[in-house]
Amino acid sequence: MQKIVRQNGIFDTPAKSVLFFCLCTFFLLLNNFRGQAQEVSASVDTTTIKIGEQITYKLAVETSREDLVVFPEGQSFSPLEMIETFAIDTSEISDRYRLTREYALTQFDSGSYSIPRQRVLINDREFRTDSFSVVVNDVVVDTTKQKMFPIKPAVEVPPAFGVPTWLWWLLGLILLGIVAYLLYRSRKKRKEAAKQLPPYERALFELKQLDDSHLLEQREIKEYYSQLSAAVRRYLDGEIYDHALESTTNELITYLEAERDKGKLKLENTTISRLKEILERADLAKFANSKPDVLTAKEDRSSVENVIKDTKASIPQPTEEELLRDREYRERLERKRKVKKIIFGIVAVVLLISAGAAYLISTRGIEYFTDTYIGNSSKEMLESDWISSEYGTPSVTIATPDVLVRNIRDSVGMSQGKETFNFGSLDTNLFVSVSTRPASEDFDVEMAVEDVYAFLEANGAKNIITKQEGYETLNGAPGFKIFGTMSLQKDEKSQPVSKEYTILNFGMGEGFQQVVVIYNENDKYADEIAQRITTSVELINNSN
């Protein structure tokens, strides 16, 4: 018989020693394997809530530093509704990372629900969490203890700060009133200018009006002589001496005599003497209350007309140089008047356009006004006649605002032997690229997608967010869709532009087709264009 000796719980036989050594080695390896394993766990803070309350669903992942972890996105917690996703919390545990992400869930109908198992990707491995049962209770209202109140009437909530509509109308009316006043004043000035007569014709016209005034019959001698002297003084002011209206009688007569002595006026002494006599009599009538008889007044009126005619005849005719200077002066005045008319017309048009723009902005909004009247390239592109055509081999049928142009340099290059057709550029509101290539054994779809990202990053794309889902064209061709957002900055001096992108990938057996659409994120018309382009894609499988 074999002798067995037990010392401190350890068997001393050789067979037992070997067995014990193997067991220890196994448990050490198992413990080391567990230390390197990837662990995914899920928990909820409560399983019973009332309608509208929130459940905090927590996902925790322990993994190595090099692993790529993808948490659930979107409404994957149905029938519960995800109302908020919190940022990922990262903590270090020895040489490993612990990633934690929380989701806020709720439900607005009472009943029993089950939170489905969630999928977490770690590199290429898929992990599934446990499901949880949740009870959503009604909010019980005890009407015996809770006082009931009648339904309150609707209360009108004051709108946010904004310019009232009536203020825009008032501004428009004020502008229209200003335009109407300017038009009226301009028309009135034109009429007054048309009525204005040359000095000689005007003097005779005033004398005719004086004859028709019946001032002598009414014995208004003072007023009669006032108008008579004003008529002759106004004529002299316009033709000979531009201070005749404010000069005294002696000053005016002295000036006329001086001009006669210089040879500038060919007036007789009797004419000047007669004018002096009439003006002195008029001064006495106006300021000394003198009242000449009616016969003298009529004679003075005839003498004034003769003085005006004699003075008109005594003025030397202008020379050709004076006439030329006068003509140039009148032309300058005419040009100035035309410039004023043009400026006035422009101002009137600007005011009318401003009033119309204010009305449209107040009733339709600033966006409608800018898109309709100032112009929006994306809107014009959306409303234009689109072109549907086939591109590449195997062919892709797609509708675009304009024909795609073959790109020999292959700007979104994937591999050799492919064709690329582009529209627009990354700097514009819309960029479309269609690429096709025949099938080959060494072709890799993932590399084709990575080439697109490499192209974007080489052109200044940053913060690229990626999502993926299945896709099927209208004619049933299967594929997969990669989409998301990014920030595009051409250089350091330019401002970054937020972009959205969509990459459609298809493999029809005989080749590979790829459609890339990139557009500005905040352009609603570009978003409609992108949707219209992607839904128009058609592929024909000719392999069968």
Side-chain angles (χ1 to χ4, degrees), residues 207-275:
L207 293 177
K208 180 67 172 59
Q209 284 186 322
L210 183 61
D211 295 339
D212 299 335
S213 64
H214 305 290
L215 292 175
L216 292 178
E217 289 83 350
Q218 298 171 3
R219 296 297 187 271
E220 296 289 341
I221 303 299
K222 179 179 179 180
E223 181 63 25
Y224 184 87
Y225 271 98
S226 295
Q227 295 185 17
L228 183 63
S229 62
V232 68
R233 283 177 176 271
R234 193 175 291 113
Y235 167 73
L236 296 174
D237 185 85
E239 288 282 13
I240 298 174
Y241 182 41
D242 56 359
H243 295 290
L245 288 173
E246 60 267 20
S247 300
T248 63
T249 299
N250 290 331
E251 291 173 349
L252 178 58
I253 297 301
T254 302
Y255 178 82
L256 293 177
E257 290 175 345
E259 292 296 304
R260 180 200 59 190
D261 296 339
K262 294 177 183 178
K264 294 183 178 180
L265 288 177
K266 297 179 181 180
L267 287 176
E268 299 292 336
N269 292 331
T270 56
T271 302
I272 297 177
S273 300
R274 183 61 179 159
L275 177 61

Side-chain angles (χ1 to χ4, degrees), residues 302-345:
S302 298
S303 298
V304 166
E305 184 174 353
N306 292 330
V307 169
I308 292 174
K309 290 179 179 180
D310 293 341
T311 305
K312 175 69 175 176
S314 67
I315 298 175
Q317 295 298 321
T319 63
E320 292 185 2
E321 294 181 357
E322 292 175 342
L323 291 174
L324 181 60
R325 286 196 300 269
D326 185 58
R327 180 181 177 183
E328 293 175 351
Y329 175 72
R330 288 197 302 270
E331 288 177 351
R332 286 198 301 271
L333 290 180
E334 185 64 23
R335 285 196 296 269
K336 288 182 180 179
R337 282 195 293 268
K338 288 182 178 179
V339 170
K340 288 183 179 179
K341 289 181 180 179
I342 293 173
I343 294 175
F344 174 79

Side-chain angles (χ1 to χ4, degrees), residues 251-480:
E251 291 173 349
L252 178 58
I253 297 301
T254 302
Y255 178 82
L256 293 177
E257 290 175 345
E259 292 296 304
R260 180 200 59 190
D261 296 339
K262 294 177 183 178
K264 294 183 178 180
L265 288 177
K266 297 179 181 180
L267 287 176
E268 299 292 336
N269 292 331
T270 56
T271 302
I272 297 177
S273 300
R274 183 61 179 159
L275 177 61
K276 180 179 180 181
E277 181 182 350
I278 295 171
L279 293 178
E280 289 177 347
R281 190 178 292 113
D283 291 339
L284 292 174
K286 290 187 293 182
F287 305 114
N289 203 20
S290 175
K291 291 185 179 182
D293 56 76
V294 175
L295 183 59
T296 303
K298 288 182 178 182
E299 290 179 355
D300 289 341
R301 183 257 179 247
S302 298
S303 298
V304 166
E305 184 174 353
N306 292 330
V307 169
I308 292 174
K309 290 179 179 180
D310 293 341
T311 305
K312 175 69 175 176
S314 67
I315 298 175
Q317 295 298 321
T319 63
E320 292 185 2
E321 294 181 357
E322 292 175 342
L323 291 174
L324 181 60
R325 286 196 300 269
D326 185 58
R327 180 181 177 183
E328 293 175 351
Y329 175 72
R330 288 197 302 270
E331 288 177 351
R332 286 198 301 271
L333 290 180
E334 185 64 23
R335 285 196 296 269
K336 288 182 180 179
R337 282 195 293 268
K338 288 182 178 179
V339 170
K340 288 183 179 179
K341 289 181 180 179
I342 293 173
I343 294 175
F344 174 79
I346 293 174
V347 171
V349 171
V350 169
L351 291 176
L352 289 174
I353 292 175
S354 300
Y359 170 75
L360 289 174
I361 292 173
S362 63
T363 55
R364 298 292 187 88
I366 184 66
E367 186 175 356
Y368 169 83
F369 176 77
T370 54
D371 291 347
T372 304
Y373 296 97
I374 297 179
N376 187 304
S377 59
S378 297
K379 183 181 179 183
E380 294 172 0
M381 194 181 303
L382 180 63
E383 296 175 350
S384 64
D385 295 331
W386 282 37
I387 298 173
S388 181
S389 183
E390 293 185 3
Y391 301 94
T393 303
S395 63
V396 177
T397 301
I398 186 172
T400 53
D402 202 349
V403 178
L404 304 186
V405 179
R406 184 187 299 272
N407 187 3
I408 300 176
R409 294 180 297 175
D410 190 19
S411 60
V412 274
M414 295 183 297
S415 61
Q416 297 294 330
K418 79 176 180 85
E419 295 178 285
T420 302
F421 304 85
N422 294 339
F423 169 77
S425 65
L426 294 178
D427 298 331
T428 59
N429 291 359
L430 178 68
F431 172 70
V432 182
S433 178
V434 175
S435 301
T436 63
R437 71 178 304 278
S440 62
E441 295 181 359
D442 60 346
F443 176 71
D444 187 356
V445 176
E446 293 184 0
M447 285 300 299
V449 177
E450 289 298 328
D451 285 341
V452 177
Y453 287 128
F455 165 72
L456 295 177
E457 291 175 352
N459 285 272
K462 299 179 181 178
N463 303 323
I464 302 176
I465 299 176
T466 301
K467 299 179 183 179
Q468 180 175 330
E469 63 182 23
Y471 189 81
E472 186 175 298
T473 64
L474 293 178
N475 64 337
F480 66 94

Side-chain angles (χ1 to χ4, degrees), residues 4-63:
I4 301 175
V5 180
R6 180 172 182 145
Q7 295 179 352
N8 298 328
I10 301 175
F11 294 97
D12 197 24
T13 64
K16 295 295 184 180
S17 298
V18 172
L19 178 61
F20 177 74
F21 177 76
C22 292
L23 289 174
C24 291
T25 304
F26 173 76
F27 283 113
L28 286 173
L29 292 174
L30 180 63
N31 183 60
N32 183 63
F33 174 76
R34 287 181 177 178
Q36 298 297 325
Q38 299 160 333
E39 297 182 3
V40 178
S41 61
S43 62
V44 293
D45 61 341
T46 181
T47 58
T48 303
I49 61 172
K50 293 180 181 180
I51 291 176
E53 289 184 339
Q54 294 184 12
I55 297 175
T56 301
Y57 184 95
K58 181 187 294 184
L59 276 175
V61 178
E62 289 189 12
T63 183

